[in-house]
Amino acid sequence: MYQIYQEINKQLNKALNAAFAKEALAAKKAGESLNPQLMPASKPDFGDFQVNGALTLAKKIKQPPRQIAELIVKQLQKSKEFNNLCYPPTIAGPGFINITIKNDCLSQELLRRLNDKQLGVPLVKSNDQTKEFKPIIVDFSSPNIAKEMHVGHLRSTIIGDSIARVLSFRGYQVLRLNHVGDWGTQFGMLITYLKLVIPEALTTPNLINIGDLVDFYRKAKKRFDEDEYFQKCSREEVVNLQQGKQESLKAWKLLCEQSRQEFQKIYDRLDIELCERGESFYNPFLMNVVKDLEKLGLLVEDEGAKCVFLEGIRGKEGKPLPLIIQKSDGGFNYATTDLAAIRYRLQCHPNGDGAERIIYVTDSGQSNHFSSVFQVAKRAQWIPKECKVEHVPFGLVQGEDGKKLKTRSGETVRLKELLDEAVERAKIDIEKRLHEESREETEDFIHNVSTTIGIGAVKYADLSQNRTTNYQFSFDRMLSLQGNTAPYLLYALVRIAGINRKGGNLDTTEKPLKFSQPGEWKLIRELLKFDEVILAVEEELLPNRLCSYLFELSQEFNRFYDQIPVLKAKEPERSSRLVLCQLTRDILKKGLGLLGISTLERM
């Protein structure tokens, strides 16, 4: 409860500081003031918050912690502002101070959030309207040109999208970058194959239609592996491309554009917004990386390659591992590009993005790579002290057998086919339910619902897992109406939408809210956790925290609705309970939106 938490913290600190000033608490002997250590209560029975500072102070001044807690409580009770906000605090165990917020304060906060488009989540700019925030860059998705997106891209795409949505909701300026693999030696192979298979595409506008990019890449790779002359031509094309030969550049652009169109189909289905900025964007800056590292004395030549030897990272022989910046043949690699990207992203305009934070969302297998790149960038002092660069790693998508998710033929699962199957399975389930209920709906309705449920189920199943671990992909689990799934949450929303339609328009200005049932107060307290959860996701970059909260909120609402009458209640209880329904709906809808999941009014 962010706003209330801030007020409690303020009042507690004021009262605690007064208490520490007393000789009875021997604050001067302690040599320092003490953080009250205010935190959410470990159990609902203990109230809303607990203060643990008495235990820490007791160790310093060698007095019984319960005695210290009693003196602190006396000081708290002298604060008029604190008493207006909270019930009298209690002491538990050796000296924990339990604090419970007054019901009327909870009701007022509930109404404030109902009428707040931010639902109680503070905007980061609200504390200083004159401050201009530098952008935060979220680098995610990053497929490779001429390769179709597969299930591995799913995690990066939806985790990065959710993080970007949460940061935007908080008021940050977010730059969503798609660092596509659009450069490198493989393009010599692809350009050569393109010239052999569709040479007329280079002279005839809009002729190119590569079709299945995976098949195109596979055939080019097979030709490269088996044909020495093809290999020779491919290597020459790499040189042509690097030297800016027009025909090679045109072929490269054709390949990139065809891939871009295929990627966009997936992004449209997933409702993803991205700014493409591929590896090729940073080509003009690569040589400067080498030159500047040389000037700084960080670059060492080793077996013809120019490297930076990493600190604290050693190989099998105990020698420092090198990060290769320029290969012996003069070429560059991913590390060089990523260093150039960091410099550009952190430099101020007009020579860069001027970002204050960069978040890279990639699989955990790249953790060592980013750790090495970040170390070099820090040693070169390219990362200002006030800026942060972070790697947000994620685990593998596994099949139900616990092995890496693949097709029956052993190939990587294509993302397009996975989404198609999710929607088809949702459609089959919907048609079955409609038949059982003897209910008729239009094809448009069935298509919309099955698409929303299918895509939402795939996203939520991924985002609800701790991203740092592997997770097992199961259509049956993710499409279930029971448990922590998107269909369960969507159904809860649909249920509330029906209640609100029957309840009519709310007018919260005429009558005060009235709550008396324990189930109402439990739901209220759950609703008021939303801002706390969003702030935690911003800090930890773990979308599963939001998923867990939404699931717990929907469970708490279902218990409330099953036990307490809403529409049949008399006034003012009826209107008060409809307020709970409305705010629950708003938070569930906003929360799912921050996960990139569309919602429904009917199912």
Side-chain angles (χ1 to χ4, degrees):
M1 288 177 276
Y2 186 81
Q3 298 292 341
I4 296 178
Y5 173 93
Q6 291 291 83
E7 184 64 22
I8 286 181
N9 193 40
K10 178 181 175 182
Q11 299 306 322
L12 270 177
N13 278 318
K14 182 179 178 180
L16 287 168
N17 288 333
F20 294 153
K22 299 282 186 181
E23 260 187 50
L25 283 180
K28 294 179 180 178
K29 293 180 183 178
E32 59 182 281
S33 60
L34 180 72
N35 185 328
Q37 298 179 38
L38 182 66
M39 59 187 64
S42 56
K43 293 182 180 179
D45 295 344
F46 296 158
D48 295 307
F49 298 98
Q50 65 186 44
V51 178
N52 301 336
L55 279 74
T56 303
L57 183 59
K59 294 179 181 178
K60 294 185 177 183
I61 63 175
K62 303 188 185 312
Q63 289 188 18
R66 192 171 180 92
Q67 178 182 329
I68 295 173
E70 289 171 354
L71 291 168
I72 291 173
V73 165
K74 287 181 181 179
Q75 292 298 320
L76 290 174
Q77 291 175 324
K78 292 178 182 179
S79 169
K80 181 180 178 181
E81 293 170 328
F82 176 83
N83 289 327
N84 288 338
L85 190 63
C86 304
Y87 293 114
T90 60
I91 301 172
F96 300 109
I97 301 173
N98 295 329
I99 295 173
T100 303
I101 301 171
K102 287 184 175 179
N103 288 345
D104 60 342
C105 292
L106 292 174
S107 297
Q108 290 170 16
E109 181 67 11
L110 191 78
L111 273 180
R112 187 185 76 81
R113 298 191 182 201
L114 183 71
N115 299 313
D116 176 16
K117 66 178 182 179
Q118 285 289 119
L119 299 170
V121 177
L123 281 168
V124 73
K125 292 184 179 180
S126 61
N127 293 330
D128 184 0
Q129 295 289 348
T130 64
K131 182 179 179 182
E132 288 189 13
F133 284 87
K134 294 182 176 181
I136 294 177
I137 290 175
V138 185
D139 179 327
F140 64 102
S141 194
S142 305
N144 290 315
I145 294 297
K147 291 184 180 180
E148 276 199 329
M149 294 177 71
H150 55 73
V151 69
H153 294 115
L154 174 67
R155 299 210 77 183
S156 176
T157 302
I158 62 179
I159 292 170
D161 176 61
S162 180
I163 289 171
R165 287 172 184 262
V166 169
L167 293 172
S168 295
F169 182 54
R170 280 275 286 126
Y172 292 102
Q173 178 188 345
V174 179
L175 180 55
R176 300 154 156 261
L177 290 185
N178 193 7
H179 189 81
V180 298
D182 67 348
W183 201 254
T185 55
Q186 75 271 23
F187 280 95
M189 174 186 77
L190 293 168
I191 292 169
T192 302
Y193 190 71
L194 177 64
K195 287 182 175 181
L196 288 172
V197 176
I198 323 174
E200 60 272 24
L202 299 173
T203 56
T204 307
N206 303 318
L207 178 66
I208 187 169
N209 183 12
I210 297 175
D212 189 334
L213 292 169
V214 172
D215 187 55
F216 182 86
Y217 187 92
R218 187 186 295 117
K219 288 178 179 177
K221 183 69 167 64
K222 185 174 186 296
R223 186 76 173 268
F224 182 85
D225 292 339
E226 297 175 354
D227 187 334
E228 289 186 9
Y229 178 73
F230 186 88
Q231 288 180 21
K232 178 176 177 293
C233 293
S234 297
R235 294 189 181 99
E236 290 174 354
E237 281 297 344
V238 173
V239 176
N240 293 338
L241 190 60
Q242 292 173 341
Q243 293 178 347
K245 295 288 181 66
Q246 288 303 308
E247 190 178 52
S248 297
L249 282 173
K250 187 171 185 178
W252 170 72
K253 290 177 181 178
L254 288 168
L255 288 164
C256 290
E257 182 56 33
Q258 181 65 26
S259 292
R260 193 174 291 118
Q261 292 174 15
E262 294 301 315
F263 296 158
Q264 194 58 48
K265 292 176 184 177
I266 297 293
Y267 293 140
D268 288 344
R269 292 185 76 180
L270 293 174
D271 189 23
I272 304 292
E273 292 183 9
L274 276 162
C275 174
E276 183 185 309
R277 191 188 286 171
E279 295 171 6
S280 61
F281 178 87
Y282 302 100
N283 281 343
F285 313 117
L286 299 183
M287 203 61 227
N288 287 338
V289 169
V290 177
K291 290 178 180 178
D292 289 352
L293 290 175
E294 283 180 329
K295 288 179 184 177
L296 293 167
L298 294 175
L299 214 57
V300 177
E301 190 165 317
D302 185 60
E303 296 182 6
K306 294 181 178 180
C307 317
V308 176
F309 281 91
L310 301 168
E311 296 177 344
I313 304 176
R314 298 183 178 274
K316 294 180 180 179
E317 298 178 359
K319 296 180 180 179
L321 283 178
L323 183 68
I324 298 174
I325 306 299
Q326 188 173 25
K327 294 182 285 187
S328 58
D329 63 2
F332 304 102
N333 56 19
Y334 293 125
T336 325
T337 302
D338 283 331
L339 285 168
I342 284 178
R343 295 186 76 187
Y344 185 89
R345 293 169 178 183
L346 293 178
Q347 287 174 343
C348 293
H349 297 292
N351 301 315
D353 298 312
E356 65 175 353
R357 186 180 185 188
I358 311 175
I359 298 167
Y360 296 83
V361 185
T362 74
D363 66 90
S364 55
Q366 297 188 48
S367 294
N368 289 338
H369 166 77
F370 280 108
S371 176
S372 301
V373 169
F374 295 167
Q375 182 192 124
V376 173
K378 288 175 183 176
R379 287 167 62 188
Q381 298 184 347
W382 294 341
I383 303 175
K385 291 182 180 179
E386 68 275 12
C387 298
K388 291 172 65 177
V389 290
E390 302 165 83
H391 180 219
V392 175
F394 55 82
L396 296 174
V397 182
Q398 299 175 329
E400 294 185 73
D401 58 1
K403 298 179 181 179
K404 189 174 180 179
L405 186 64
K406 293 186 176 181
T407 63
R408 290 181 180 177
S409 61
E411 297 178 348
T412 301
V413 177
R414 295 159 69 175
L415 186 49
K416 176 181 179 297
E417 293 174 354
L418 182 143
L419 298 177
D420 287 344
E421 183 170 352
V423 172
E424 182 60 27
R425 284 176 177 246
K427 182 179 180 182
I428 291 171
D429 184 64
I430 291 164
E431 290 176 336
K432 178 184 176 183
R433 292 177 186 277
L434 291 175
H435 177 73
E436 290 172 350
E437 298 171 7
S438 300
R439 178 176 148 202
E440 291 187 6
E441 295 288 354
T442 65
E443 283 298 318
D444 285 345
F445 173 86
I446 294 172
H447 172 75
N448 180 50
V449 173
S450 59
T451 299
T452 301
I453 291 176
I455 301 296
V458 170
K459 284 189 174 186
Y460 190 87
D462 190 312
L463 293 170
S464 62
Q465 308 296 317
N466 187 316
R467 59 170 169 75
T468 61
T469 61
N470 301 335
Y471 90 95
Q472 293 184 354
F473 190 95
S474 169
F475 279 119
D476 290 339
R477 276 201 303 271
M478 68 176 59
L479 290 167
S480 173
L481 279 170
Q482 304 299 322
N484 188 13
T485 67
Y488 177 85
L489 294 177
L490 290 172
Y491 181 76
L493 258 178
V494 167
R495 188 183 195 188
I496 298 171
I499 296 168
N500 290 338
R501 284 194 294 269
K502 294 175 183 176
N505 294 327
L506 279 177
D507 184 355
T508 57
T509 59
E510 290 186 0
K511 302 174 184 176
L513 299 179
K514 182 177 180 181
F515 303 110
S516 58
Q517 300 297 317
E520 294 172 318
W521 293 113
K522 285 182 179 179
L523 179 56
I524 289 169
R525 284 180 162 84
E526 197 66 36
L527 288 166
L528 297 182
K529 291 179 183 177
F530 182 55
D531 53 348
E532 176 188 334
V533 171
I534 295 301
L535 293 171
V537 174
E538 175 193 338
E539 178 66 25
E540 301 167 359
L541 305 178
L542 292 169
N544 65 294
R545 287 284 300 269
L546 177 56
C547 295
S548 297
Y549 168 72
L550 296 177
F551 178 53
E552 290 166 7
L553 175 60
S554 61
Q555 286 184 307
E556 197 63 64
F557 174 81
N558 285 333
R559 283 191 287 268
F560 153 78
Y561 189 70
D562 290 341
Q563 297 170 8
I564 301 172
V566 175
L567 296 174
K568 294 182 179 180
K570 296 180 180 179
E571 293 294 350
E573 285 85 357
R574 184 178 187 273
S575 294
S576 301
R577 291 167 187 172
L578 283 172
V579 164
L580 295 182
C581 294
Q582 179 65 50
L583 189 55
T584 301
R585 174 187 177 276
D586 292 346
I587 289 177
L588 285 176
K589 189 170 184 177
K590 173 56 70 176
L592 286 169
L594 294 176
L595 297 172
I597 296 173
S598 301
T599 57
L600 297 162
E601 292 292 314
R602 293 174 57 235
M603 278 175 68

